[in-house]
Amino acid sequence: MTAVEYSSVQPIVSATNLVKVYGEGDTLVRALDGVSASFASGTFTAIMGPSGSGKSTLMHCLAGLDESTSGHIAINGTAVESLNDNELTKLRRDQIGFIFQSFNLLPTHTAKENILLPLELAGTQADQNLLSHLVKSLGLEGRMGHLPSQLSGGEQQRVAVIRALISHPSVVFADEPTGALDTRNSKHLLSYLCSASQELGQTIIMVTHDPKAARYVDRAIILSDGQVRHDMDEPTEETVIEAMRHLGGE
């Protein structure tokens, strides 16, 4: 997708002049320093950068997990900074899906129970057709009755992916989702996230340090010192590595 196409589509998520400051005086750190970016429906974006670049802080602010110092964030037209705690909780429950590196599965719940728990807490029912599609697509047929301890790391991460997608969220945030996976499972997961974006129209924003992820995404935003240094459409592993090299990144 071209830059012109990105700007012509109403964004699902947007950030304008986002600033996040930690500490004060001599210990003040500007983790985000005027970041602006928008994310269109059905796109798969990687947020990348060296350690300490602000990529995780950006994701946490966009997802309403952390409060920005100043600036504007909108999700599906809702100004995040205007919400009180209850409204923010409802926004995260209804419009945001999360995929964490550590999976965050409840050990006493089966795979299916882990997937359905957020819906049950919200008092809604799962789309059974979508559930069946996701389970089959991710190769978890016959594994839904197993506890997390009975699943491999790759299977646990795929359960976490289904849990994030099952509620039809406006956006899915993925925080280093391949960090705990081996190469084979990492490729499988990234390939599936790419398919979810293209086939289900799911908007996905992923924080990752892995340049190989560029093979699967539509776009890569590269941060350094809390600022956007590169915003690449159709990135490749090579273009990401080159951009990171100029930043002195990893």
Side-chain angles (χ1 to χ4, degrees):
M1 183 176 286
T2 67
V4 172
E5 289 175 310
Y6 276 118
S7 62
S8 65
V9 177
Q10 179 66 32
I12 293 295
V13 180
S14 64
T16 307
N17 295 324
L18 209 60
V19 173
K20 177 64 178 180
V21 174
Y22 294 103
E24 57 185 23
D26 293 340
T27 62
L28 185 145
V29 175
R30 296 178 73 87
L32 297 176
D33 191 10
V35 171
S36 294
S38 60
F39 305 86
S41 177
T43 55
F44 186 13
T45 303
I47 298 176
M48 311 176 84
S51 297
S53 62
K55 56 185 183 294
S56 292
T57 301
L58 176 58
M59 190 198 76
H60 291 160
C61 288
L62 291 175
L65 296 174
D66 197 359
E67 185 177 355
S68 60
T69 303
S70 63
H72 174 68
I73 299 169
I75 294 180
N76 230 2
T78 298
V80 173
E81 65 273 9
S82 70
L83 303 179
N84 60 37
D85 287 345
N86 289 337
E87 292 168 336
L88 187 57
T89 296
K90 186 176 187 300
L91 177 77
R92 287 197 297 258
R93 184 190 70 198
D94 295 345
Q95 298 203 46
I96 298 175
F98 295 98
I99 304 171
F100 297 102
Q101 179 179 342
S102 58
F103 316 142
N104 285 13
L105 302 179
L106 294 178
T108 58
H109 286 52
T110 65
K112 186 174 183 179
E113 289 168 342
N114 268 286
I115 290 167
L116 298 181
L117 182 59
L119 294 176
E120 292 174 357
L121 293 175
T124 58
Q125 297 293 317
D127 180 334
Q128 292 300 322
N129 289 331
L130 177 60
L131 177 60
S132 296
H133 170 76
L134 293 173
V135 170
K136 183 176 181 180
S137 297
L138 284 164
L140 289 173
E141 294 166 296
R143 309 296 285 169
M144 288 293 95
H146 289 65
L147 296 172
S149 61
Q150 299 169 316
L151 302 173
S152 68
E155 288 172 334
Q156 291 182 55
Q157 186 61 292
R158 281 177 269 160
V159 170
V161 169
I162 297 175
R163 181 181 58 191
L165 295 174
I166 192 62
S167 62
H168 296 287
S170 297
V171 56
V172 168
F173 290 99
D175 189 5
E176 297 279 7
T178 63
L181 303 179
D182 59 26
T183 299
R184 183 178 65 85
N185 280 309
S186 293
K187 289 180 178 178
H188 185 88
L189 177 62
L190 290 169
S191 179
Y192 184 76
L193 292 177
C194 179
S195 297
S197 172
Q198 294 175 350
E199 297 173 12
L200 301 178
Q202 181 64 64
T203 305
I204 302 172
I205 300 173
M206 174 180 66
V207 166
T208 181
H209 69 280
D210 186 1
K212 293 183 176 65
R215 304 173 186 175
Y216 302 89
V217 301
D218 305 307
R219 180 185 181 199
I221 294 176
I222 299 179
L223 302 183
S224 177
D225 297 325
Q227 297 181 338
V228 175
R229 304 298 184 181
H230 300 277
D231 191 342
M232 304 177 178
D233 295 325
E234 300 180 359
T236 66
E237 182 179 351
E238 291 73 25
T239 58
V240 166
I241 289 174
E242 182 64 18
M244 295 282 284
R245 182 178 295 117
H246 285 299
L247 297 176
E250 35 188 59

